Amino acid sequence: MPGGRLTQPERQQIASGLADGLAYAEIARRLDRPTSTVTREVLRNGGPTAYRADLAHRATEQRAHRRKQPAPRDPKAAPQPHGRDPEAVRAYEETFTTVLVQSGMPKMTARVLACLITTDAGSLTASELVERLQVSPASISKAIAFLDGQGLVRRERDEGRRERYAVDNDVWYQSMMASARSTAHLVETARQGVGVLGPHTPAAARLENIARFMDFVSESIARAAEQAREILHVKPETPPDGNRVGPFSL
């Protein structure tokens, strides 16, 4: 079984296999590579729907160049619980971060949120985030302020009175409700403009159309989020010994 880095032709075969709907294991078998190698390669470079052989090859060369530079990651951050592959986890965090950035979130904020979401505890201190992400405390503080303002994280104190930043299992419900509140504010502001610009004017009509559209969308989002949370939320299980299993919700 060959080792070493994937070649560009191998990456092209991976792209073709994904386009044909092949599983990672089948693609790996055709390349005579471990399945984990293909899995890491795809997750590190955009995921199965966005993987491109040429972009993946270029990104790998750039990462190899950066690794030659000083400031390696803290080796204590490498071990993973539950037998997880550290490289696969890191690649997935990068992919998740990229998707959040593409949705409009600032990159450092996306890195912090992805880190919190993929942590089993669902909460970390500022110093733990600094260590995991290898960034400055100021960068973490700024990202947390943004996430807190959007209702995506909450602040709590542990037994040592240290502040921790946590994400709940229904973090996306909280996000959608924050978005609905923001949209409602936009609706109110647009309708104020109707009075300022004068009824029956083209500008006022434009603002009224914006207000009606956004009001309908905001109400629909809030109603759908509430219904989805009620239907899909999985409550914590209580096993026979009385110890509750950690909650999970969609």
Side-chain angles (χ1 to χ4, degrees):
M1 182 176 293
R5 295 178 182 172
L6 290 166
T7 64
Q8 191 159 16
E10 285 178 318
R11 289 192 167 92
Q12 290 170 347
Q13 285 184 259
I14 290 174
S16 297
L18 292 172
D20 292 339
L22 300 181
Y24 293 152
E26 176 59 21
I27 296 173
R29 187 188 67 77
R30 296 186 181 191
L31 292 175
D32 195 20
R33 291 274 193 173
T35 302
S36 60
T37 298
V38 175
T39 302
R40 287 194 298 270
E41 168 69 13
V42 175
L43 292 179
R44 185 185 287 119
N45 294 286
T49 59
Y51 183 84
R52 299 292 183 273
D54 54 343
L55 296 179
H57 195 71
R58 192 178 310 130
T60 300
E61 291 179 340
Q62 291 171 348
R63 283 193 293 267
H65 176 72
R66 287 197 299 268
R67 279 196 291 268
K68 294 178 183 177
Q69 306 300 320
R73 279 182 172 267
D74 186 346
K76 293 186 295 183
Q80 286 285 329
H82 308 295
R84 295 169 181 150
D85 182 335
E87 286 299 320
V89 172
R90 183 176 298 173
Y92 176 73
E93 287 180 354
E94 291 178 1
T95 299
F96 196 3
T97 298
T98 299
V99 172
L100 291 173
V101 170
Q102 290 172 344
S103 73
M105 186 174 290
K107 185 173 182 180
M108 181 51 61
T109 305
R111 290 187 67 196
V112 170
L113 183 58
C115 187
L116 287 170
I117 288 176
T118 56
T119 301
D120 284 319
S123 68
L124 293 167
T125 64
S127 60
E128 288 170 336
L129 285 166
V130 166
E131 181 180 357
R132 286 170 178 259
L133 299 177
Q134 296 290 290
V135 296
S136 69
S139 298
I140 297 298
S141 178
K142 184 177 180 180
I144 289 295
F146 179 93
L147 293 169
D148 190 17
Q150 296 295 311
L152 291 171
V153 300
R154 56 183 170 81
R155 300 168 188 263
E156 58 185 24
R157 296 280 181 179
D158 60 18
E159 294 179 356
R161 303 302 298 166
R162 295 177 305 173
E163 188 170 65
R164 301 185 68 86
Y165 310 117
V167 291
D168 293 318
N169 287 344
D170 60 354
V171 59
W172 241 247
Y173 165 80
Q174 302 294 345
S175 173
M176 294 185 74
M177 295 307 291
S179 175
R181 289 192 295 271
S182 177
T183 302
H185 186 230
L186 173 60
V187 170
E188 180 183 352
T189 303
R191 289 205 163 119
Q192 289 174 358
V194 173
V196 172
L197 297 171
H200 312 301
T201 65
R206 188 178 303 116
L207 283 169
E208 180 60 30
N209 284 335
I210 291 172
R212 288 180 179 180
F213 176 81
M214 297 307 294
D215 193 22
F216 182 87
V217 170
S218 176
E219 183 180 344
S220 298
I221 289 175
R223 183 167 57 250
E226 291 284 3
Q227 291 174 345
R229 188 189 197 200
E230 182 178 349
I231 294 171
L232 301 177
H233 182 71
V234 179
K235 294 179 172 57
E237 298 178 2
T238 303
D241 60 7
N243 295 320
R244 304 186 81 178
V245 178
F248 174 78
S249 66
L250 299 178

